[in-house]
Amino acid sequence: MNIQILGLGKYLPTEKIENSFFASHFGLSEDDIFRQSGVRTRHRADRTSGETTVKMGAIAIENACASAGVALDELDLIVNVSAIPEQAIPDTSVLMQKELGLGNSGISCLSIHATCLGALRGLEVVAGLFQLGQYRRAVIVSSEISSIGLNPADPHTYPLFGDGAVAMIVEPSTESYVEKILFRSFGDYASSTMVRGGGTSIAPNNASIADYYFEMKGSQVLRQSLRKGGPFIQEMLGTERTIEAVDWIVPHQPSGIGLRAMERFFAKEKMLVSLEEYGNCISASMLLSLEKGVSSGQIRRGDRLLLIGTGAGLSLGAALLVY
């Protein structure tokens, strides 16, 4: 696919939550919290001070444009891949457009809902749109405030997730920088990761607060991900590629247990990890890890990357690309 990453930018909320908060909340030690989550710090958005999904996403887009040397009005497509919208209607991407001061620009906007795999789906869709010749420069943005839907009584999910936003500027290229993208979904395990409210299943006047809490059967997700992961990776690489030819693995950041389980497939020293610092930021996690690798100098132009992860569904997704 003839598409190239020009630059990345992020926004992290001001408030950083240490494990001491959760240790006190659940009557556990800080080490207990880290052992079960893999997280030491995570950021929490303060919506009352303006850290909204839309505002965080807009700042991330501005920072990505600065990194890429691109003006905002040089974008002609905004693709929001956040798992959690600002509101049901209108689309979050349009609200981000307005926040950027582009509300009368006519720049095309859309959203893609693929939970933790949103960034990869966004890359796939934008690459296809570029091939049609409709757009010349796009931003893929994820802004997640997961903390709003976490159950404070759940010691497994409450400390695991973080808030944050990240954006990636892409444009068509004469070279095939994205070598392959692959997705596989298994709806038999759809009930393993859910938020029950927010759609037509439960009417708003019949919903309770519990219907809007995130629910996850972590052991089932991990078991099925590992069972299907080996064949999926083999299908992704095919017979013409080897994992040794990949410079960096950029995984979704599911949990400490999930990342350790990935070591059966990938060398630990090649995996870029941001979980300990940011927590699981849903669709923003993968791009936050990518941004961290680029800004720290670990990832350099010409490096071959494998972006890979799982999402609700159960879905598996991966992209092999050259940065």
Side-chain angles (χ1 to χ4, degrees):
M1 299 179 182
N2 295 349
I3 181 172
Q4 183 181 18
I5 299 171
L6 296 185
L8 297 121
K10 69 176 186 292
Y11 175 82
L12 297 171
T14 302
E15 185 179 18
K16 184 184 291 187
I17 308 295
E18 307 282 344
N19 278 349
S20 55
F21 169 82
F22 299 98
S24 175
H25 183 79
F26 290 111
L28 301 170
S29 71
E30 292 182 42
D31 287 339
D32 288 335
I33 298 296
F34 176 69
R35 274 193 296 270
Q36 70 182 28
S37 68
V39 184
R40 293 195 187 277
T41 61
R42 74 288 289 154
H43 294 260
R44 288 285 187 265
D46 182 357
R47 292 178 298 121
T48 61
S49 69
E51 288 180 330
T52 64
T53 298
V54 167
K55 182 68 173 180
M56 296 196 315
I59 295 173
I61 291 172
E62 290 172 335
N63 291 337
C65 283
S67 171
V70 170
L72 284 172
D73 60 7
E74 292 180 299
L75 300 173
D76 55 9
L77 179 62
I78 298 172
V79 180
N80 166 54
V81 297
S82 311
I84 308 168
E86 176 90 1
Q87 59 193 63
I89 297 173
D91 185 69
T92 300
S93 61
V94 175
L95 299 177
M96 289 182 182
Q97 182 209 56
K98 180 181 179 182
E99 181 66 30
L100 290 166
L102 301 171
N104 199 36
S105 66
I107 292 173
S108 182
C109 299
L110 64 95
S111 283
I112 297 169
H113 180 48
T115 61
C116 302
L117 297 176
L120 296 186
R121 280 294 188 192
L123 191 64
E124 180 186 45
V125 169
V126 171
L129 292 173
F130 281 168
Q131 286 185 319
L132 293 175
Q134 290 184 264
Y135 304 100
R136 58 183 174 80
R137 188 168 293 124
V139 60
I140 299 168
V141 56
S142 169
S143 181
E144 302 285 23
I145 302 182
S146 61
S147 56
I148 197 171
L150 298 177
N151 185 350
D154 186 345
H156 299 290
T157 59
Y158 196 42
L160 175 60
F161 290 87
D163 301 342
V166 62
M168 176 171 68
I169 309 296
V170 294
E171 72 175 10
S173 169
T174 56
E175 298 182 52
S176 298
Y177 284 96
V178 178
E179 298 176 359
K180 186 175 182 179
I181 297 180
L182 180 68
F183 291 93
R184 291 288 179 261
S185 297
F186 306 93
D188 281 351
Y189 309 101
S191 63
S192 61
T193 310
M194 293 193 299
V195 175
R196 298 174 186 274
T200 60
S201 175
I202 302 173
N205 58 332
N206 292 329
S208 69
I209 187 64
D211 293 320
Y212 289 87
Y213 282 151
F214 174 77
E215 302 175 30
M216 180 172 64
K217 300 173 184 175
S219 59
Q220 184 181 83
V221 173
L222 180 61
R223 184 169 60 252
Q224 294 302 327
S225 297
L226 292 176
R227 182 175 297 171
K228 299 182 185 304
F232 176 79
I233 293 168
Q234 186 57 55
E235 183 183 4
M236 178 66 194
L237 294 175
T239 57
E240 68 277 16
R241 302 177 181 90
T242 65
I243 197 64
E244 287 74 26
V246 176
D247 296 299
W248 296 103
I249 311 297
V250 187
H252 170 55
Q253 310 287 302
S255 66
I257 295 172
L259 287 174
R260 288 192 294 274
M262 287 187 190
E263 293 174 18
R264 70 176 62 184
F265 304 121
F266 310 118
K268 181 179 180 180
E269 59 271 16
K270 283 191 173 185
M271 292 172 56
L272 292 178
V273 176
S274 61
L275 179 75
E276 188 171 331
E277 184 178 359
Y278 301 149
N280 181 336
C281 295
I282 321 179
S283 71
S285 276
M286 199 177 291
L287 289 188
L288 281 171
S289 297
L290 179 60
E291 191 280 337
K292 182 180 179 182
V294 171
S295 62
S296 68
Q298 287 179 286
I299 296 177
R300 300 182 179 184
R301 288 294 181 185
D303 283 355
R304 180 171 276 104
L305 315 176
L306 178 65
L307 281 63
I308 189 166
T310 59
L314 172 76
S315 294
L316 282 70
L320 188 66
L321 57 88
V322 176
Y323 176 69

